[in-house]
């Protein structure tokens, strides 16, 4: 008995030693953990820290997650279009004990990054998230240095705080005609790219020019120039291997592999005087959704989905807001012309694993609510600060998915959550 | 149990564990391990395994036998077997994973690594240290610094249990 116990202990000690000393074996186990667990386990010991923060490990981890369909969003960052507040909010969407998303209050860090990049005294004037793709955020910030204002593109991973300031591009174009879009495919190198689209003649009717940035490079590569309808090219939605943008009559896409533009016919335009008919355009779980409304007085609308094969839009869900409006009468607004309007902004269509879990996430006065698209039930998800503005304006994309990933972004070995910080 | 005549027809291998126990298995069962396969290809029929202890080896031979007889019809049975196989203590899992790694049995490695990962993912760093028999080599200041820099990853309640 004693002998067998001794053997058991020997065997356990031997096995623990093997795991501790064999980095490949330990990595095999760690690669299968979620990003959040890994960041937490970086304090287990220095050896674990060194493995987890290694660039190659981060890349393998993102790739493993991508190949096992593990890159589902665990939350969203969003702007509340209904208020004049420009503060970015966050919302966790998981059922477990994750309370919040990583904070984006990193203006101080930003200033550090700019100094590292060789500038002198730099003030960050404005900072905005414009898009997200598989765990990475596309951000824009404007800075003032020696009275010159510059806008820069910035790629950020909130999970491991990895970041990259993009080199300048289209410097002769006005900022309002330059659009940055992130394309991230963690399953294969180069893991992410940035597409910049610009109206080269600085007007809404001019041709658009596209350039691509890949990590490891210091400059942009020009792809093509095409004519394009009057529309914006920010907040592109990555779906089915292409970045999609929505316009009034057609939607445009940029195919990542062929690096060519294409068009998709829009669904029939809704009647009515409203200028902001497109209230939502976004992707969830491989589904591309579009919501159009007739007017600000609309209570009824459809959620459309684009078919992957035919590239045609069809109705996926029909929404009637009666129940929501009676539960939250503060949504009702009477205008001077005795018109009745309903104040809501659509954050996201969220497809559940089961159809009964598919919800429409909306902001209304002071709240985020989830409207179940199948069961037609309503749930308050959280309270929100700020008062609804007098004039309603909308953005068809105001929520940005948060996907936990260790994508290291930079092309150099950087210990992002380093011991030697500061 | 195979009959005597059958046993004679099949090529057999002898595996010897770190604690000097010997096990006779069919070659076709053994070669699911890349390590054993390479030795067999070099003409060995006696395979000493100085890194694999008897207890783990018995379980692994069970696993290899079960998986060698994989057919379309016993899929469910193998799933149940696998589920029971990994339903054990962390110490046993570590022994098995280190043996599977030495023997290069990739499907078993995948299953064991995934099981360990799933069972630790919600645990506290302190529990993980105990489970992996790791002594923390950070100073309290160093540890506090990493915690502060990644505050969000430390929010919430974590599982402190060691099983």
């Amino acid at each position: 008995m004693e002998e067998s116990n001794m053997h058991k202990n020997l065997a356990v000690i031997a096995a623990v030693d093997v795991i501790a000393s064999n980095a490949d074996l330990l990595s095999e186990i760690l690669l299968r953990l979620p990003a959040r667990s890994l960041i937490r386990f970086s304090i287990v010991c220095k050896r674990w820290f060194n493995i987890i923060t290694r660039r190659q490990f981060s890349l393998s981890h993102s790739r493993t997650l991508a190949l096992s369909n593990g890159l589902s969003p665990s939350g969203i960052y969003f702007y509340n279009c209904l208020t004049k507040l420009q503060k970015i909010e966050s919302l966790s969407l998981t059922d477990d004990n994750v309370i919040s998303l990583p904070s984006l209050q990193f203006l101080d860090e930003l200033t550090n990054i700019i100094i590292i990049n060789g500038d002198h005294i730099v003030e960050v004037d404005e900072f905005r998230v414009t898009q997200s793709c598989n765990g990475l955020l596309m951000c824009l910030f404007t800075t003032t240095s020696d009275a010159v204002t510059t806008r820069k593109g910035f790629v950020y991973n909130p999970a491991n705080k990895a970041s990259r300031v993009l080199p300048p591009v289209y410097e002769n174009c006005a900022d309002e005609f330059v659009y940055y879009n992130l394309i991230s495919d963690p399953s294969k190198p180069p893991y992410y790219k940035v597409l910049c689209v610009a109206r080269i003649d600085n007007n809404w009717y001019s041709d658009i020019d596209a350039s691509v940035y890949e990590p490891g490079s210091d400059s942009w590569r020009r792809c093509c120039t095409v004519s394009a309808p009057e529309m914006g090219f920010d907040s592109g939605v990555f779906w089915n291997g292409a970045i999609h943008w929505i316009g009034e009559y057609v939607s445009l896409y940029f195919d990542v592999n062929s690096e060519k533009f294409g068009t998709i016919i829009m669904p029939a335009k809704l009647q009515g005087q409203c200028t902001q008919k497109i209230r939502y355009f976004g992707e969830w779980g491989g589904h591309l959704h579009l919501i159009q409304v007739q007017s600000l007085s609309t209570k009824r609308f459809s959620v459309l989905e684009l078919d992957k094969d035919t590239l045609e839009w069809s109705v996926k869900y029909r929404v009637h807001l009666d129940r929501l409006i009676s539960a939250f009468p503060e949504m009702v607004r009477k205008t001077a012309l005795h018109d009745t309007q309903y104040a809501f902004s659509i954050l996201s269509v969220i497809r559940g694993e089961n159809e009964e879990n598919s919800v429409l996430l909306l902001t209304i006065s002071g709240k985020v609510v989830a409207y179940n698209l199948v069961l037609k039930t309503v749930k308050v998800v959280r309270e929100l600060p700020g008062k609804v503005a007098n004039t309603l304006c909308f953005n068809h994309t105001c929520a940005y998915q948060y996907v936990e990933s260790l994508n290291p972004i930079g092309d150099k070995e950087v210990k992002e959550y380093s011991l030697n910080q500061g | 149990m195979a009959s005597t005549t059958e046993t004679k027809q099949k090529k057999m291998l002898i595996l010897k564990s770190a604690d000097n126990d010997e096990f006779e298995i069919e070659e076709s069962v053994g070669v699911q391990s890349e390590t054993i396969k390479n030795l067999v290809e070099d003409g060995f029929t006696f395979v000493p395994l100085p890194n694999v202890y008897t207890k783990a080896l018995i379980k692994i031979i069970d696993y290899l036998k079960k998986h060698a007889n994989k057919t379309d019809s016993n899929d469910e049975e193998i799933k149940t077997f696998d589920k029971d196989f990994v339903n054990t203590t962390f110490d046993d899992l570590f022994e098995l994973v280190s043996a599977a790694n030495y023997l290069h049995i990739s499907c078993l490695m995948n299953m064991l690594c995934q099981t360990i990962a799933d069972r630790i993912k919600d645990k506290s760093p302190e529990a993980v240290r105990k489970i992996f028999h790791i002594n923390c080599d950070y100073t309290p200041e160093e540890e506090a610094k990493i915690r502060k820099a990644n505050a969000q990853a430390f929010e919430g309640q974590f599982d402190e249990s060691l099983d």
Side-chain angles (χ1 to χ4, degrees):
Chain A
M1 184 68 196
E2 245 175 44
E3 199 192 353
S4 86
N5 258 341
M6 196 185 75
H7 271 153
K8 186 196 163 196
N9 290 341
L10 267 181
V12 171
I13 291 164
V16 166
D17 279 350
V18 168
I19 294 167
S21 61
N22 185 335
D24 289 342
L25 177 51
L26 184 53
S27 300
E28 279 296 315
I29 298 169
L30 298 181
L31 274 177
R32 290 166 166 84
L33 287 164
R36 197 177 128 87
S37 305
L38 284 170
I39 294 170
R40 190 165 74 243
F41 294 162
S42 63
I43 67 156
V44 164
C45 65
K46 287 180 181 168
R47 177 154 184 82
W48 281 41
F49 178 91
N50 283 330
I51 290 175
I52 294 166
T53 53
R54 203 169 287 160
R55 181 180 143 76
Q56 202 48 52
F57 178 85
S58 307
L59 292 175
S60 308
H61 182 262
S62 306
R63 193 166 51 233
T64 310
L65 273 187
L67 295 175
S68 63
N69 287 323
L71 285 172
S72 54
S74 55
I76 55 165
Y77 292 104
F78 65 96
Y79 291 102
N80 186 2
C81 302
L82 297 180
T83 67
K84 292 262 182 278
L85 294 176
Q86 288 302 295
K87 188 176 166 286
I88 194 153
E89 302 280 348
S90 67
L91 180 68
S92 168
L93 296 172
T94 50
D95 297 330
D96 56 24
N97 64 0
V98 179
I99 296 156
S100 65
L101 267 47
S103 158
L104 292 184
Q105 307 297 319
F106 52 87
L107 294 179
D108 292 343
E109 292 167 48
L110 252 182
T111 322
N112 289 335
I113 289 158
I114 296 158
I115 288 164
I116 292 165
N117 278 337
D119 288 339
H120 305 292
I121 304 152
V122 180
E123 277 178 58
V124 175
D125 302 328
E126 203 198 342
F127 173 82
R128 200 171 171 86
V129 177
T130 60
Q131 192 217 0
S132 72
C133 190
N134 281 325
L136 303 184
L137 297 181
M138 184 69 236
C139 313
L140 291 174
F141 65 92
T142 40
T143 57
T144 310
S145 174
D146 301 332
V148 181
T149 301
T150 350
R151 197 182 66 160
K152 278 180 175 154
F154 178 73
V155 183
Y156 185 67
N157 181 348
N160 62 358
K161 302 186 175 64
S163 64
R164 175 103 192 152
V165 178
L166 299 171
V169 59
Y170 298 115
E171 287 177 286
N172 296 325
C173 290
D175 287 345
E176 59 178 308
F177 294 116
V178 182
Y179 312 94
Y180 293 89
N181 292 273
L182 192 58
I183 304 156
S184 163
D185 182 355
S187 68
K188 55 177 191 282
Y191 310 107
Y192 80 94
K193 294 181 196 179
V194 183
L195 170 71
C196 187
V197 177
R199 298 261 180 199
I200 31 181
D201 295 330
N202 284 320
N203 69 63
W204 286 100
Y205 314 102
S206 79
D207 288 352
I208 54 167
D209 201 76
S211 292
V212 168
Y213 168 84
E214 290 184 19
S217 162
D218 289 328
S219 58
W220 295 74
R221 172 171 51 82
R222 268 190 79 177
C223 289
C224 53
T225 307
V226 295
S227 64
E230 182 189 346
M231 60 191 274
F233 290 93
D234 44 9
S235 298
V237 177
F238 186 57
W239 175 79
N240 205 19
I243 287 271
H244 295 255
W245 303 273
I246 205 88
E248 210 173 335
Y249 299 100
V250 291
S251 64
L252 236 69
Y253 65 85
F254 178 83
D255 184 273
V256 176
N257 284 332
S258 66
E259 301 200 330
K260 287 199 174 98
F261 284 92
T263 54
I264 295 172
I265 306 293
M266 287 289 285
K269 203 181 169 191
L270 298 175
Q271 299 294 308
Q273 298 298 311
C274 179
T275 51
Q276 298 181 68
K277 289 206 175 73
I278 296 167
R279 293 281 284 269
Y280 176 73
F281 180 56
E283 178 271 349
W284 194 279
H287 304 278
L288 189 66
H289 299 118
L290 171 69
I291 296 175
Q292 301 187 97
V293 298
Q294 210 157 13
S295 70
L296 292 172
S297 310
T298 301
K299 287 203 268 184
R300 235 188 286 199
F301 53 84
S302 300
V303 178
L304 305 179
E305 180 176 354
L306 190 65
D307 186 282
K308 265 198 172 84
D309 302 317
T310 63
L311 296 183
E312 278 173 19
W313 292 99
S314 60
V315 174
K316 177 68 190 170
Y317 306 104
R318 290 185 199 278
V319 179
H320 201 305
L321 292 177
D322 260 352
R323 199 178 282 188
L324 191 68
I325 294 163
S326 55
F328 305 103
E330 59 269 36
M331 287 174 71
V332 181
R333 297 154 55 96
K334 297 277 180 204
T335 66
L337 299 164
H338 303 290
D339 205 8
T340 306
Q341 298 182 344
Y342 305 102
F344 66 92
S345 154
I346 297 164
L347 291 179
S348 189
V349 173
I350 297 178
R351 297 289 284 266
E353 263 176 53
N354 304 318
E355 268 298 278
E356 301 83 66
N357 296 333
S358 293
V359 297
L360 187 67
L361 212 56
L362 312 123
T363 61
I364 57 169
S365 172
K367 287 176 192 67
V368 179
V369 293
Y371 171 87
N372 189 303
L373 288 162
V374 179
L375 308 173
K376 318 284 181 198
T377 52
V378 180
K379 197 173 107 185
V380 175
V381 181
R382 63 167 279 195
E383 306 288 320
L384 277 180
K387 233 180 104 226
V388 175
N390 288 331
T391 320
L392 295 177
C393 43
F394 301 98
N395 200 336
H396 54 68
T397 308
C398 45
Y400 309 97
Q401 296 177 4
Y402 170 64
V403 181
E404 274 180 7
S405 117
L406 291 180
N407 194 326
I409 299 181
D411 39 15
K412 288 179 222 86
E413 186 78 39
V414 185
K415 299 273 162 156
E416 299 295 350
Y417 26 108
S418 163
L419 265 181
N420 309 319
Q421 266 174 4
Chain B
M1 206 55 196
S3 75
T4 339
T5 46
E6 256 180 277
T7 319
K8 269 181 190 158
Q9 281 161 4
K10 284 180 180 161
K11 279 192 177 174
M12 301 301 284
L13 293 174
I14 294 185
L15 309 182
K16 188 179 159 197
S17 73
D19 18 15
N20 297 317
D21 290 315
E22 289 180 9
F23 299 89
E24 194 180 32
I25 61 165
E26 287 170 25
E27 186 187 286
S28 61
V29 170
V31 294
Q32 293 174 85
S33 146
E34 286 295 319
T35 307
I36 296 175
K37 192 178 162 201
N38 289 338
L39 288 166
V40 168
E41 281 169 0
D42 290 342
F44 289 87
T45 52
F46 180 79
V47 183
L49 301 168
N51 295 325
V52 185
Y53 286 82
T54 300
K55 191 172 150 218
L57 189 56
I58 292 173
K59 277 203 86 170
I60 286 179
I61 291 172
D62 268 358
Y63 175 89
L64 293 176
K65 280 184 181 163
K66 199 81 197 171
H67 282 253
N69 295 320
K70 214 171 185 169
T71 59
D72 290 339
S73 56
N74 66 358
D75 203 41
E76 279 305 309
E77 192 189 324
I78 288 184
K79 268 187 196 151
T80 316
F81 173 89
D82 284 352
K83 221 176 137 190
D84 285 344
F85 188 88
V86 295
N87 186 15
T88 181
T89 64
F90 276 112
D91 281 349
D92 284 350
L93 289 172
F94 294 156
E95 274 193 64
L96 290 169
V97 82
S98 123
N101 181 56
Y102 174 75
L103 291 166
H104 287 280
I105 310 167
S106 64
C107 56
L108 180 58
M109 271 294 284
N110 280 338
M111 180 171 84
L112 291 166
C113 291
Q114 191 64 55
T115 305
I116 297 170
D118 290 345
R119 278 173 56 179
I120 63 171
K121 72 177 167 54
D122 296 321
K123 299 220 182 270
S124 70
E126 293 76 14
V128 169
R129 280 180 199 141
K130 284 179 196 150
I131 289 165
F132 281 79
H133 307 267
I134 289 171
N135 292 320
C136 175
D137 52 0
Y138 283 117
T139 64
E141 293 75 29
E142 286 173 333
E143 191 179 317
K145 212 167 181 177
I146 303 179
R147 277 182 188 269
K148 200 179 154 208
N150 301 285
Q152 186 264 343
F154 291 94
E155 268 180 25
Q157 290 292 311
F158 301 114
D159 180 6
E160 300 289 345
S161 69
L162 302 182
D163 50 17

